[in-house]
Amino acid sequence: MYTGAIEIVEVSPRDGLQNEKALIATADKLALIDRALAAGARRIEVTSFVNPRAVPQMADAEAVCAGLPQRDDVTYIGLVMNQRGADRALTTGRIDQLGAVAVATDTFAMANQGQTSDGSVAAASEIIAAAKAAGRTAQVTIAAAFGCPFEGEVAEARVLAMAEALAAAGPVEIALADTIGVANPAHVASLVGRLRDLIAPLPVRVHFHNTRGTGLANVWVAVAAGARTVDAAIGGLGGCPFAPGAAGNVSTEDVVYMLERAGIGTGLDLSALVAANHWLAEVMQRQLPGMVAKAPSFPKQS
């Protein structure tokens, strides 16, 4: 049974840009956020508060926050990996929601944030507590939920055990991330459905990369299985510095086209997203992976 509406979290300013080699100007990041807002985005992952030596693209996190438009109807999300990152994010006064990350395997957890998988669950729980203490909210993403670049297959039971522990910390939602784009629709339907039942009434969010061309199919079955929020990036940019072979996120334009054509509302303006894709392609000086922005509009606009 399909829902009538899905929430989109726009992640292009953070996940879309974090793996780019050429540094993007702070002004361009803020312009991208402005375009996302104009297209109707109301939850935006604006930056991450990580070690700038590890992720140079995010070294301007505080400057990005300082330039954010004052909006009471928008939730600005900052990704944080530890208490230091949480402190930085909260100190800006502009981050409404902390995004914590727990990683499903030890090897990837060590590469991503220098701790074991269990350690990442504990750290995420502490981040959630810090957000609450500061009068903010927090959500958590389980990374490599469908497969790990180092350890391969990840058991559903492991992901669900992590989710149960994380739910006890009180996030506003739990997300499953296909960090390296290996998920298939059958696996997605199974894991999303089991997570939905396990953590209800907490909502399920999903985060898919299109590395092997299955991103949109995975979004579709995730929605059918009960996910109510989908991460996406304008243009389909994205990748992870610590996950070999990870490619772009599902494109916001492509997700919106698919869902809206199927009668599932997103609240986003497709024509504005396509225009944002074309603008961002000029900034990046290359064509972006998203497909809808390369095609003629349909149905034709009068």
Side-chain angles (χ1 to χ4, degrees), residues 59-154:
D60 61 349
E62 280 83 2
V64 168
C65 289
L68 292 172
Q70 295 278 359
R71 295 282 295 259
D72 293 334
D73 61 337
V74 175
T75 299
Y76 293 127
I77 301 166
L79 187 79
V80 300
M81 297 291 183
N82 50 37
Q83 187 62 51
R84 175 173 169 75
D87 291 342
R88 286 178 58 199
L90 294 169
T91 298
T92 69
R94 302 307 316 282
I95 293 298
D96 304 301
Q97 187 171 90
L98 299 185
V101 178
V103 182
T105 65
D106 286 333
T107 309
F108 187 24
M110 289 300 298
N112 195 59
Q113 51 216 75
Q115 57 195 176
T116 65
S117 177
D118 285 344
S120 73
V121 172
S125 299
E126 291 169 2
I127 289 165
I128 294 165
K132 289 181 172 183
R136 299 291 193 267
T137 61
Q139 35 97 336
V140 60
T141 298
I142 301 176
F146 299 94
C148 171
F150 307 105
E151 298 186 24
E153 302 287 358
V154 174

Side-chain angles (χ1 to χ4, degrees), residues 23 28 150 223 225:
L23 292 181
D28 285 333
F150 307 105
V223 170

Side-chain angles (χ1 to χ4, degrees), residues 10-19 32 44-49 55 57-58 77-79 81 101 141 207 209 231 238-241 249:
E10 179 56 51
V11 301
S12 57
R14 196 281 301 180
D15 197 359
L17 299 180
Q18 69 173 1
N19 211 31
L32 175 58
I44 305 177
E45 191 178 63
V46 293
T47 191
S48 63
F49 295 85
V55 189
Q57 193 68 252
M58 298 290 109
I77 301 166
L79 187 79
M81 297 291 183
V101 178
T141 298
H207 180 106
H209 285 245
D231 288 358
C240 176
N249 294 278

Side-chain angles (χ1 to χ4, degrees), residues 152-163:
E153 302 287 358
V154 174
E156 289 190 12
R158 171 58 189 160
V159 176
L160 295 171
M162 293 174 66

Side-chain angles (χ1 to χ4, degrees), residues 102 121-122 125 128 140 142 156-171 173-176 191 194-200 202:
V121 172
S125 299
I128 294 165
V140 60
I142 301 176
E156 289 190 12
R158 171 58 189 160
V159 176
L160 295 171
M162 293 174 66
E164 190 168 26
L166 291 163
E173 70 194 0
I174 294 178
L176 297 173
L191 188 52
R194 293 179 71 186
L195 179 63
R196 176 203 63 209
D197 293 343
L198 177 69
I199 67 171
L202 274 184

